[in-house]
Amino acid sequence: MALLGVFIAALAVLGAPLSASASAPDTPGADQEQTDFYFAGVIKYDDEPVPDVTISVEGNGFEAETVTNETGAWRLYVPEKDTYTITVDEETLPDGVIVDAAQLPEGTQPSQGTTASFEVEFGLTGSKILNLFLGEGERVTTSFFDQLVERLINGLNFGLLLALAAIGVSLIFGTTGLTNFAHAEMVTFGAVMAVVFGSFYAVPMWVTIPIVLLLGAALGWGLDAGLWRPLRHRGIGMVPLMIVSIGLSLLIRYVIQFFMGGSTRQLPGADAPKIQLLGPIKLSVVDMMSMGISIVVIVAVAFWLLRTRVGKATRAISDNPGLAAASGINVDRVIRTVWILSASLAGLAGVLWGYFRPGVKWDMGVHILLLMFAAVTLGGLGTAFGALIGALIVGILVEVSTLWLPSDLKYVGALAVLILILLVRPQGILGRRERIG
């Protein structure tokens, strides 16, 4: 109950209103179906408006475009609040000018190797004002090789943070047989707690992350002690337990939305600039810290599984629960430890996912839930090391696929490869063949 009180109090902090939005000018785009959500702004060069510039928006299966009027103003309506890619058609810009990267609006992320295309996400309101300024420069596009290297590095970063969450899913499945759909909300919980302590209370992130790990451990302990252990002792089957996990997922998700709202909150330092390291490789300090933390934690989990007594007991239970119990292993105690560890890893993954997206949102965990399951299945059900390998493969495939697929479809490629591999090797990469029937 104390943990629940802390959780609700933290979420209540997120319910506090932020700043009001600016109003949008009357602009082109009247031929669009007008909704409650839109992007708008003005394009200027040397403080003069630039007319007849084509602006397009794409995202969430939606596409539209418009042209700036004589005052340089534009407006584009979208069906819902989400992340969209705004693109300025460089062919319609005056000769010798490009979008000034130094004056991009706050919270925008350049994409596709050019400042003429960038990702934007709505804030608290249904409108987003994007005033763009032009500057002199060459229109340079990134080579295919440079884009490939950049996406491989991003995929490695994404795969490592995905592995933290997937290892937890695998450990829980291996010891209990439960497919835990609420694991996505454990990821969201960690990110939300990082916003509460890191943003609202300005606690340094090097202190916030250990706090998130402790709160995640407490959440895992509470869920097992209050829900899963009693259900196991009642002999409830795996299918009903899976349905309970779906209900728990929905409950936690909408409790978070009730207090947090539908807005996206940024973690401290999420807008850190990227540093040129070697050739086309560009990483921010946050990216490097994220990858370093992920590697250290994964190595620590591997050491725990291979060298500690509890870790060996965990692997024994995953191999044969009945034989492990007959050998004197306290199965309930080991499962409790697994829940604590898995929830901590999920909380940490949530913080890193909040930086990678970037932004913390009430449903952010469910966006990677299928990828977690894909990683676990691809690597081999119930094997933590298989989950690591599967997560790295999925993470790299997701990011590299954007070279050919629209960003909205980047998860499709990973899931398609999963299906193909399972047709060839149903037990996964590190899984064992099992005889059924």
Side-chain angles (χ1 to χ4, degrees):
M1 293 301 293
L3 175 63
L4 180 61
V6 171
F7 181 43
I8 293 177
L11 290 176
V13 174
L14 294 173
L18 299 180
S19 60
S21 64
S23 59
D26 291 332
T27 55
D31 55 328
Q32 281 188 266
E33 179 183 351
Q34 296 191 2
T35 67
D36 294 331
F37 313 112
Y38 62 85
F39 296 99
V42 176
I43 294 183
K44 290 186 177 182
Y45 177 55
D46 284 342
D47 290 329
E48 294 293 329
V50 182
D52 301 323
V53 176
T54 302
I55 312 287
S56 62
V57 62
E58 180 182 354
N60 203 25
F62 174 81
E63 295 181 11
E65 70 175 33
T66 189
V67 177
T68 58
N69 61 16
E70 64 277 1
T71 66
W74 60 276
R75 177 181 291 179
L76 282 167
Y77 291 91
V78 294
E80 60 182 341
K81 294 174 69 172
D82 208 328
T83 301
Y84 293 88
T85 299
I86 303 292
T87 302
V88 179
D89 185 355
E90 292 184 310
E91 298 298 325
T92 61
L93 295 178
D95 292 336
V97 299
I98 59 174
V99 177
D100 190 351
Q103 299 190 60
L104 282 178
E106 183 179 356
T108 62
Q109 299 291 327
S111 63
Q112 301 178 11
T114 170
T115 57
S117 182
F118 44 87
E119 294 184 356
V120 186
E121 190 167 8
F122 281 97
L124 189 63
T125 64
S127 62
K128 183 75 174 179
I129 307 303
L130 303 167
N131 293 323
L132 303 176
F133 300 90
L134 306 181
E136 295 183 2
E138 283 187 53
R139 297 169 189 171
V140 179
T141 57
T142 307
S143 69
F144 178 83
F145 175 76
D146 288 350
Q147 292 185 56
L148 177 61
V149 172
E150 180 183 4
R151 282 162 173 75
L152 283 172
I153 299 299
N154 287 340
L156 180 61
N157 189 5
F158 181 43
L160 287 170
L161 72 87
L162 185 65
L164 295 175
I167 287 172
V169 172
S170 183
L171 289 173
I172 290 173
F173 179 85
T175 53
T176 67
L178 172 66
T179 304
N180 181 28
F181 282 84
H183 206 82
E185 277 53 57
M186 293 182 184
V187 172
T188 306
F189 174 81
V192 169
M193 292 300 101
V195 169
V196 171
F197 289 97
S199 296
F200 284 90
Y201 292 120
V203 178
M205 287 307 296
W206 64 271
V207 177
T208 297
I209 290 179
I211 292 175
V212 169
L213 290 173
L214 291 175
L215 290 175
L219 176 64
W221 181 90
L223 289 175
D224 186 58
L227 179 64
W228 300 116
R229 184 174 183 273
L231 291 178
R232 285 198 307 273
H233 284 205
R234 287 176 176 269
I236 305 297
M238 285 299 109
V239 173
L241 286 178
M242 183 180 67
I243 294 173
V244 170
S245 77
I246 295 174
L248 179 64
S249 170
L250 294 172
L251 173 65
I252 298 175
R253 190 184 313 163
Y254 288 106
V255 167
I256 293 175
Q257 186 199 28
F258 178 80
F259 287 99
M260 185 179 183
S263 62
T264 299
R265 312 292 175 89
Q266 296 296 333
L267 292 171
D271 57 349
K274 292 187 179 294
I275 303 171
Q276 189 82 39
L277 296 178
L278 180 63
I281 300 176
K282 295 180 181 179
L283 291 173
S284 68
V285 174
V286 173
D287 293 332
M288 290 184 278
M289 291 295 293
S290 173
M291 296 174 73
I293 290 172
S294 298
I295 292 172
V296 169
V297 172
I298 290 171
V299 170
V301 172
F303 179 85
W304 177 79
L305 283 170
L306 295 174
R307 298 296 182 182
T308 68
R309 187 173 182 178
V310 178
K312 293 176 181 178
T314 301
R315 291 191 291 131
I317 294 173
S318 297
D319 289 338
N320 193 321
L323 182 59
S327 301
I329 295 176
N330 189 329
V331 175
D332 275 337
R333 183 180 298 174
V334 172
I335 291 176
R336 178 71 52 82
T337 302
V338 165
W339 272 100
I340 291 171
L341 176 63
S342 298
S344 295
L345 293 175
L348 177 59
V351 178
L352 303 183
W353 177 226
Y355 276 114
F356 187 84
R357 296 183 68 230
V360 176
K361 197 175 179 182
W362 64 279
D363 62 344
M364 60 181 287
V366 76
H367 292 174
I368 58 172
L369 179 63
L370 286 180
L371 296 183
M372 289 185 231
F373 289 157
V376 172
T377 308
L378 181 60
L381 291 174
T383 62
F385 296 107
L388 169 61
I389 294 174
L392 291 175
I393 293 174
V394 169
I396 291 173
L397 283 175
V398 164
E399 290 299 313
V400 171
S401 66
T402 58
L403 288 171
W404 302 280
L405 298 176
S407 58
D408 290 343
L409 300 178
K410 64 182 181 180
Y411 295 158
V412 174
L415 298 177
V417 171
L418 168 68
I419 294 173
L420 292 175
I421 290 180
L422 292 183
L423 287 174
V424 178
R425 188 177 174 84
Q427 70 271 30
I429 296 173
L430 297 185
R432 297 175 301 177
R433 289 183 177 273
E434 294 185 9
R435 185 180 183 86
I436 301 177

